[in-house]
Amino acid sequence: FPRSAEHVAATLQLARAHRVPVFSRGAGSGLSGGSVPDGGIALVMTQMNRILEVDLRNLQMVVEAGAITAAVQQAARVHGLFYPPDPGSSRVSTIGGNIAENAAGPHSFQYGPTGNYVLGLEVVLASGDIVELGARTTKNACGYDLVRLMVGSEGTLGVVTKARLRLLPLPPARASLLAAGFSPEELEDLIVLMAGSPHRPSSIELLDRFCVRLLADRLEAAIGTDVPGGAYGLILADFLGQSAEVAEKAQALAESVRGRGAPAVAILDGTQQAELWGAREELSPRVARIEPTKISEDATVPLGELAGFMRDMDAIRGEFRVEVVVFGHAGDGNLHPNFLTDERDPERMRRTWQAIDALFEAAIRRGGTLTGEHGVGRLKLPYMRRALPPNALELMVAVKRALDPDGILNPGKAILEPASRAPGADGARVPQHSAG
């Protein structure tokens, strides 16, 4: 539990001298196993949690890596400012963890993921050297973009101890639109319509029919009527901006949706809106209570492949006899299939892993990728050779070797490095299933 960059540096110097692996860790809220220790040192950053500076003139904030995301959002909001990244774990996740995974959330559709808001970093390298990356300026083309190299590297290239974050003015108003689709093709058409509209929302979220059943009480309370029967799924669109602007956008987009023959279930504001997004935030905990084990994925496909991917998910449910609940950030093509199973039942787990294999095969076949925001971690490591060409993997290994020649930083995560290089080769263990 280090309290300063110097403590982190001393730990890494000692670890390197003895070739002991180091696993940097925040709140442990990640969904791909990226911060799970496997022998060696768990470097838990939660005591380095201070908000060091709110720079109102430059619209920036400097925070330690262990600062809680929601605390950063609130510290900005007090001054009428906005830190846009909004992962579902924001009440517990740390900024360092968000940076490690390049975390996102619903508003990444308009504002982009965490990496878009990181101007500078203090990082401790595997050697124990402390380096300052980036600048106080919002534009910086001076040499390689080492800040973005660290963002999304999952603690395999260095340990982030401090971050300089970019802030925006806080949007004063919000409106929401709820629309139903009665087939995957209809949902894809509506999502593409919204994404390409001049009245483009700030976020476009998807709830499949299983989510709709699970949240029926909350959704009906929000919209004041029953959810349309037979809907394959619902789309939640959110608008942020000036009051007149968001009202106009929501109304215009609702008319466009009705013009496609799909009912715009409701335009919501005030109490209804809070009820709707409260239901969305409650979804993951409700799903987690259905079965003893929930495996949350986040495969991402191009928008024009969403319908086909949803059809793939239906086929996977039937072929492997698995329960899957799908929701996610549809405007980014980033869906979260949640596999419900029981890790105590070997037969169910065997079918679940086969279904997950099929899920990633489908995403890759449709031009997609393994992860939009959860990271590779341990869980997706077996699929990397399917997802990326060999020369891209070799380039990643070259970067890893340059910055961490002894392989002590978070071995067995994010990158397919030779297991023999990792201190204690079983640091590279991954889930044993049919991915190979």
Side-chain angles (χ1 to χ4, degrees):
F1 292 92
R3 293 182 176 273
S4 69
E6 290 72 25
H7 289 173
V8 174
T11 303
L12 291 183
Q13 288 166 1
L14 187 65
R16 188 180 185 191
H18 294 275
R19 288 184 53 80
V20 174
V22 177
F23 302 89
S24 54
R25 184 175 175 89
S29 60
L31 292 170
S32 63
S35 67
V36 176
D38 193 359
I41 298 168
L43 191 67
V44 185
M45 304 295 291
T46 51
Q47 292 189 12
M48 292 181 63
N49 58 9
R50 294 176 299 167
I51 295 172
L52 300 173
E53 178 186 3
V54 180
D55 182 347
L56 300 180
R57 297 187 70 83
N58 291 301
L59 302 182
Q60 296 176 11
M61 185 185 297
V62 180
V63 305
E64 291 182 317
I68 300 299
T69 310
V72 170
Q73 293 168 332
Q74 179 58 28
R77 195 176 297 116
V78 164
H79 298 284
L81 298 174
F82 183 37
Y83 178 67
D86 56 339
S89 60
S90 60
R91 283 177 286 186
V92 295
S93 66
T94 65
I95 289 295
N98 292 176
I99 291 168
E101 305 293 350
N102 198 16
H107 290 132
S108 64
F109 177 62
Q110 174 174 341
Y111 294 102
T114 296
N116 288 19
Y117 299 88
V118 182
L119 299 174
L121 293 172
E122 178 183 78
V123 179
V124 183
L125 302 179
S127 62
D129 293 326
I130 302 172
V131 296
E132 297 282 345
L133 306 177
R136 292 180 62 201
T137 56
T138 55
K139 292 174 68 177
N140 180 8
C142 188
Y144 296 152
D145 192 344
L146 298 178
V147 170
R148 291 309 294 262
L149 179 65
M150 290 293 169
V151 172
S153 65
E154 303 189 38
T156 63
L157 301 179
V159 177
V160 171
T161 51
K162 189 186 303 181
R164 180 175 294 275
L165 305 175
R166 180 167 71 100
L167 305 176
L168 299 177
L170 182 67
R174 182 179 186 184
S176 297
L177 169 68
L178 187 67
F182 292 88
S183 70
E185 291 72 23
E186 189 171 305
L187 286 168
E188 180 188 297
D189 285 346
L190 292 176
I191 291 163
V192 170
L193 169 69
M194 292 179 178
S197 170
H199 310 293
R200 178 181 167 103
S202 302
S203 64
I204 305 175
E205 296 286 289
L206 173 70
L207 306 179
D208 77 355
R209 59 193 184 280
F210 302 103
C211 298
V212 173
R213 291 172 196 161
L214 197 60
L215 293 176
D217 57 332
R218 294 291 304 270
L219 292 171
E220 289 165 9
I223 63 179
T225 185
D226 293 342
V227 176
Y232 190 92
L234 295 180
I235 298 171
L236 285 62
D238 205 28
F239 303 82
L240 300 178
Q242 297 295 323
S243 181
E245 174 195 16
V246 298
E248 179 184 348
K249 280 187 171 184
Q251 186 61 49
L253 196 60
E255 291 173 5
S256 296
V257 168
R258 291 190 188 101
R260 289 290 178 94
V265 176
I267 298 173
L268 308 175
D269 54 22
T271 304
Q272 286 183 315
Q273 184 175 269
E275 186 76 25
L276 176 69
W277 287 98
R280 171 65 180 88
E281 290 175 7
E282 188 181 310
L283 179 56
S284 190
R286 281 203 184 191
V287 170
R289 291 195 290 268
I290 297 173
E291 292 283 353
T293 304
K294 175 170 79 79
I295 301 175
S296 303
E297 293 296 353
D298 77 320
T300 304
V301 297
L303 292 189
E305 298 288 344
L306 280 170
F309 190 56
M310 285 186 268
R311 293 288 186 193
D312 292 336
M313 289 305 307
D314 286 338
I316 288 168
R317 286 185 181 96
E319 180 178 356
F320 300 104
R321 293 178 289 120
V322 292
E323 293 182 77
V324 190
V325 178
V326 180
F327 54 90
H329 318 311
D332 297 323
N334 182 197
L335 299 185
H336 297 316
N338 288 255
F339 291 81
L340 308 180
T341 184
D342 186 345
E343 62 185 347
R344 300 167 298 184
D345 185 334
E347 170 59 19
R348 286 188 71 181
M349 288 304 296
R350 182 186 65 81
R351 287 187 279 107
T352 300
W353 286 124
Q354 289 178 330
I356 291 172
D357 288 350
L359 162 75
F360 288 126
E361 196 67 51
I364 293 167
R365 185 175 64 249
R366 293 188 178 279
T369 185
L370 303 177
T371 173
E373 59 186 13
H374 291 174
V376 173
R378 295 174 57 148
L379 197 60
K380 298 181 178 71
L381 201 62
Y383 306 96
M384 288 286 277
R385 287 193 178 91
R386 298 189 204 178
L388 297 173
N391 53 1
L393 292 171
E394 290 168 7
L395 191 58
M396 291 181 182
V397 170
V399 173
K400 170 70 170 170
R401 286 178 174 169
L403 292 179
D404 182 17
D406 298 305
I408 65 168
L409 293 178
N410 211 11
K413 317 290 177 56
I415 178 174
L416 282 170
E417 55 181 314
S420 60
R421 292 187 62 251
D426 56 3
R429 285 197 298 265
V430 295
Q432 298 301 305
H433 52 89
S434 59

